[in-house]
Amino acid sequence: MNFSKSIKTIIVILFVLLNIIFCYFSVINTIEDYEVMLSQSMTQKSKAVVNFFSYPENIINILSKNKDLLTYDVNNRLLKNNILSLFESIIVPDSRISNIYFISNEGKYISYILPDKNDLPDNYFSSRDWFKEAIKGKKQFYWISHKSDFRYEEDVISCIRRVVDEYNRPIGVVGLDIEVFKLSELVQGTTVGENGYFMILDNQNKIIASTHLGTLGNYITDKSLNDQKITNYDKSLIMSMDNKKYKYSLFNFKNLPWKIINVIPVNEITKKIISDIALFTICSLVSFAFALCLYLKNKSTLSLILELRDANIKLKQYASTIEEIAVLKERNRLARDVHDTLGQTLSILIALLQVSLLSCKTNIKETEEHINEAILVTSNGLNELRRSISGLTSTKQEEDNLFDILEKLVNNFEYSGLKVDLSVNKIEQNISKSHTEVIYRICQEALTNSIKHGKATEASIILKFSDNNIKLFIFDNGIGCKKICFDNGFGLQGMQQRIKALNGDIKFGSDGENGFNIHVEIPLVITEEGNIDDKSFVSG
């Protein structure tokens, strides 16, 4: 007992340890999967962003070497038109570019889009910080995110490069503006995991491009974004934004003052970990329960085998008993059928022979007819007796409907001198064979008894069908009886057994002097197909 208890304890401990180990590795693997997801998505998206910014740089590089810009004179109208035509040829095919402009050292400018204000001072542009930085030429390209100096309400990013003469002296700058919201096209339709997305930030961590356009212009204040130790494709970090925690990876552009980040909500990762652990726990519990059931089942196998042995012995005894019961039921059925058929045949035969004895001295022809009728009745009775012994249905019942069967029965008995009046209110076409068999046998036995015991000369059979039952009334004018006895013979007992098998009711009556009557009521159960259900009938 103690050994079995120790085994159970060890199994439980192993089960708990297995769940703890799986939970640990599930957390590690899920986090690693999201790390890979962030890294791979960043690699793909950063290439697309770099390619996006490379095109404006190429345009500015070509424009900075254009001869018309090098010789630009604000008073030369033809030259000015040529430059504007050049700007237009670049802007029109590319919807990303909103403006191209050239500004000289003296502050003179030529722009595809005119400023919103026409009264700008001559040194307005040359005094701007971005102009001063670009003219210094420390960087080949100077990128900046700011409000447009030409359209004051428009957020743009500008790519600026200084223009030098043949002696490498700066003569001005050429610039190209891209509306900020155009950058969001780079990250639209791109997701990381289920709810993750990309953002592009400027050097002050202002969101200048995002899948969620409602966040444009917002600042991210998390200090981890300004950590100089973070390099591209390092391990992801956790940051706070809009009072939520996000896991993110960072990519800093080499020649651009911006960075791109992709973020995944921490609660998405947490839900994935919890769902994986829950799924494993459920599967483990099911497996544990299954194993426990097998253990308990094996433990009870020995007792079940013993019980099965006892049950097998009892089943053999039951089988023997059932076989005896089946033999007894078949014997009773055969006895009833033989009694009914033989009784009817002999009763009619005796009556015909008695009539033949009376007519043989006076009318030979009539005697011959009676003898032929006796032979026919005897032959039919013998055939029915053989079919009863073989367990088959009466030939009459197989070939005819109930009314025809009863009419033939009545005709047979009239040979014996018994006048029978048959009345049926309607013919039920769908009545079952079991109901036909019972009604036929009841009428057969009743008429036989009317001749044999009642010495009757007249009888009536009334058969009534209704939706729920069959009612059968049989009357004769015999001598009747004072006491109805069921103990001897098969006649009345056989009737009762047949009616009981159909859940019906039978009653016998006599005033003790004149006549005998039988009242039968049998329930009908109509199936959906319109046939009489005879499930309640048990042969024998």
Side-chain angles (χ1 to χ4, degrees):
M1 184 68 181
N2 292 332
F3 179 74
S4 176
K5 187 175 181 180
S6 299
I7 291 177
K8 292 180 181 178
T9 303
I10 292 173
I11 292 174
V12 172
I13 293 174
L14 289 175
F15 174 76
V16 173
L17 288 176
L18 180 63
N19 276 273
I20 292 174
I21 292 172
F22 174 83
C23 290
Y24 172 77
F25 282 105
S26 177
V27 172
I28 297 299
N29 289 335
T30 301
I31 293 175
E32 187 63 29
D33 289 343
Y34 277 95
E35 288 284 352
V36 173
M37 189 186 303
L38 287 169
S39 177
Q40 290 178 349
S41 61
M42 178 61 77
T43 300
Q44 296 173 356
K45 186 55 63 177
S46 61
K47 290 180 179 178
V49 174
V50 169
N51 291 335
F52 179 89
F53 287 113
S54 296
Y55 176 74
E57 290 180 348
N58 291 335
I59 295 295
I60 291 299
N61 187 46
I62 293 173
L63 289 175
S64 65
K65 299 175 182 179
N66 184 271
K67 294 181 178 179
D68 290 338
L69 291 180
L70 294 176
T71 59
Y72 173 66
D73 184 356
V74 71
N75 297 317
N76 189 332
R77 182 172 297 180
L78 179 61
L79 184 61
K80 184 176 181 179
N81 288 336
N82 289 340
I83 294 174
L84 290 176
S85 296
L86 176 63
F87 289 171
E88 184 178 18
S89 66
I90 297 172
I91 292 174
V92 171
D94 194 337
S95 61
R96 294 174 298 177
I97 303 173
S98 62
N99 191 23
I100 301 176
Y101 45 86
F102 171 75
I103 303 170
S104 66
N105 289 340
E106 296 79 19
K108 304 296 183 181
Y109 67 89
I110 179 173
S111 171
Y112 181 74
I113 296 175
L114 294 176
D116 290 338
K117 296 181 179 181
N118 295 323
D119 56 346
L120 294 176
D122 292 341
N123 64 344
Y124 174 78
F125 289 105
S126 59
S127 63
R128 306 296 288 169
D129 292 337
W130 55 264
F131 180 88
K132 294 177 181 179
E133 290 293 327
I135 206 70
K136 292 178 182 178
K138 293 182 178 180
K139 297 179 181 179
Q140 184 178 9
F141 299 98
Y142 185 75
W143 284 93
I144 184 175
S145 172
H146 63 130
K147 289 286 185 181
S148 173
D149 288 293
F150 294 88
R151 290 182 175 174
Y152 299 112
E153 299 301 321
E154 188 177 84
D155 289 314
V156 296
I157 56 172
S158 302
C159 179
I160 305 169
R161 177 186 171 91
R162 74 172 182 171
V163 180
V164 296
D165 60 13
E166 58 184 348
Y167 303 107
N168 204 30
R169 292 175 300 186
I171 61 173
V173 299
V174 61
L176 176 151
D177 289 348
I178 299 175
E179 293 177 272
V180 167
F181 76 88
K182 294 289 186 180
L183 287 180
S184 295
E185 296 177 0
L186 287 170
V187 294
Q188 288 295 326
T190 305
T191 58
V192 185
E194 293 182 2
N195 301 303
Y197 55 94
F198 284 87
M199 294 185 292
I200 299 177
L201 312 180
D202 64 8
N203 56 355
Q204 296 179 349
N205 295 334
K206 178 183 176 182
I207 301 175
I208 60 175
S210 173
T211 304
H212 300 280
L213 297 178
T215 62
L216 293 177
N218 295 342
Y219 289 87
I220 299 178
T221 58
D222 194 281
K223 295 180 180 180
S224 64
L225 289 173
N226 298 319
D227 191 347
Q228 299 298 322
K229 296 180 181 180
I230 300 176
T231 58
N232 296 338
Y233 306 114
D234 268 350
K235 284 279 185 180
S236 61
L237 299 173
I238 302 296
M239 74 171 183
S240 296
M241 184 174 63
D242 298 332
N243 298 321
K244 295 181 180 179
K245 295 289 185 180
Y246 290 86
K247 191 177 185 66
Y248 75 96
S249 64
L250 174 69
F251 179 82
N252 282 299
F253 298 99
K254 291 182 179 180
N255 300 319
L256 299 174
W258 305 309
K259 56 178 78 83
I260 181 172
I261 62 172
N262 54 354
V263 297
I264 296 178
V266 171
N267 62 358
E268 177 182 326
I269 303 174
T270 304
K271 288 179 182 177
K272 180 68 169 65
I273 293 173
I274 293 174
S275 63
D276 289 345
I277 293 175
L279 179 62
F280 176 79
T281 302
I282 292 172
C283 293
S284 298
L285 289 173
V286 172
S287 301
F288 182 76
F290 181 72
L292 183 61
C293 290
L294 288 179
Y295 171 76
L296 295 175
K297 186 176 180 180
N298 291 334
K299 186 178 180 181
S300 60
T301 299
L302 183 60
S303 61
L304 287 175
I305 291 174
L306 296 176
E307 292 178 5
L308 285 173
R309 288 178 181 175
D310 295 338
N312 189 35
I313 295 172
K314 291 180 180 179
L315 282 174
K316 289 181 179 179
Q317 295 174 350
Y318 292 155
S320 178
T321 304
I322 290 171
E323 184 177 358
E324 293 175 1
I325 294 173
V327 171
L328 181 60
K329 290 179 70 176
E330 178 61 19
R331 189 188 72 178
N332 291 337
R333 181 199 67 80
L334 182 59
R336 284 198 305 270
D337 289 353
V338 170
H339 173 270
D340 294 343
T341 303
L342 197 57
Q344 173 197 349
T345 303
L346 292 178
S347 296
I348 297 173
L349 183 60
I350 291 170
L352 288 171
L353 290 175
Q354 289 174 343
V355 173
S356 298
L357 284 174
L358 295 175
S359 63
C360 67
K361 297 178 182 180
T362 59
N363 192 336
I364 299 300
K365 186 175 181 181
E366 183 180 346
T367 302
E368 184 179 350
E369 290 177 357
H370 290 322
I371 292 174
N372 287 332
E373 290 173 356
I375 292 172
L376 179 62
V377 169
T378 304
S379 177
N380 290 337
L382 181 61
N383 289 333
E384 294 302 319
L385 188 61
R386 286 172 177 168
R387 293 180 69 83
S388 295
I389 294 172
S390 301
L392 300 175
T393 307
S394 172
T395 306
K396 300 183 184 68
Q397 297 172 40
E398 289 183 346
E399 296 176 352
D400 302 322
N401 60 40
L402 179 58
F403 181 79
D404 294 336
I405 295 169
L406 294 179
E407 193 172 35
K408 290 179 181 179
L409 179 67
V410 167
N411 291 336
N412 285 338
F413 274 97
E414 286 184 348
Y415 292 148
S416 64
L418 178 65
K419 184 179 179 181
V420 183
D421 181 26
L422 176 63
S423 174
V424 180
N425 70 328
K426 67 175 181 178
I427 301 300
E428 181 59 61
Q429 299 293 335
N430 295 322
I431 190 171
S432 67
K433 291 182 179 180
S434 59
H435 285 72
T436 301
E437 167 79 11
V438 169
I439 294 171
Y440 173 78
R441 292 299 183 186
I442 295 294
C443 294
Q444 184 185 50
E445 179 63 19
L447 295 178
T448 300
N449 289 341
S450 295
I451 296 175
K452 182 178 178 182
H453 302 294
K455 310 301 180 183
T457 58
E458 293 181 0
S460 297
I461 299 174
I462 301 174
L463 188 61
K464 293 184 177 181
F465 288 90
S466 66
D467 293 337
N468 299 321
N469 55 36
I470 302 174
K471 291 183 179 181
L472 173 65
F473 304 92
I474 304 174
F475 308 91
D476 67 28
N477 64 348
I479 59 177
C481 60
K482 294 182 180 181
K483 183 180 180 181
I484 300 174
C485 182
F486 297 95
D487 296 333
N488 299 322
F490 292 97
L492 300 184
Q493 283 187 357
M495 291 186 190
Q496 287 181 323
Q497 291 172 359
R498 292 181 189 277
I499 295 301
K500 185 179 180 181
L502 292 180
N503 296 321
D505 183 54
I506 184 169
K507 295 177 182 178
F508 304 98
S510 176
D511 61 3
E513 295 181 359
N514 296 314
F516 192 85
N517 63 81
I518 301 173
H519 176 205
V520 178
E521 189 169 337
I522 306 172
L524 286 179
V525 179
I526 308 297
T527 63
E528 293 181 359
E529 290 78 11
N531 297 320
I532 305 298
D533 185 10
D534 60 351
K535 291 181 181 177
S536 62
F537 179 71
V538 181
S539 179

